[in-house]
Amino acid sequence: MPPRETEDWIIWAAWADRITFEEIYKASGKTEREVIEIMRKKLKPSSFRVWRARASQISHKHQKRFKSLREHY
């Protein structure tokens, strides 16, 4: 895991399924929009498209959805 104060950590956290955008904000101060811009800038276009589709489909990338999913199990 890269150091938290780097863009590498933000990229790592954005790819991680269990880390929400809210947790990324708490750790780095970067909003979801800023994370998307970092991912767009640092990833290859094809990798960005894969990540974006994945982040959009994963319902637990947002804390509210993640909590509701955990309550069902």
Side-chain angles (χ1 to χ4, degrees):
M1 175 171 50
R4 282 190 182 229
E5 48 287 331
T6 65
E7 284 188 345
D8 289 338
W9 182 86
I10 294 170
I11 293 168
W12 175 84
W15 274 107
D17 290 340
R18 297 283 179 182
I19 299 177
T20 65
F21 286 117
E22 290 85 357
E23 291 169 325
I24 294 172
Y25 178 76
K26 286 178 188 174
S28 68
K30 300 291 185 191
T31 64
E32 180 179 352
R33 177 169 279 175
E34 291 170 321
V35 170
I36 291 169
E37 287 304 314
I38 289 169
M39 298 295 277
R40 186 185 315 269
K41 181 174 65 171
K42 296 290 184 173
L43 298 179
K44 294 185 293 185
S46 60
S47 297
F48 174 76
R49 284 191 297 273
V50 168
W51 172 79
R52 193 68 184 119
R54 181 179 166 162
S56 297
Q57 291 174 352
I58 296 174
S59 61
H60 53 267
K61 276 310 269 187
H62 292 278
Q63 198 166 27
K64 186 176 181 180
R65 292 183 194 163
F66 183 65
K67 284 182 181 179
S68 70
L69 270 179
R70 292 180 96 182
E71 290 172 359
H72 286 91
Y73 295 103

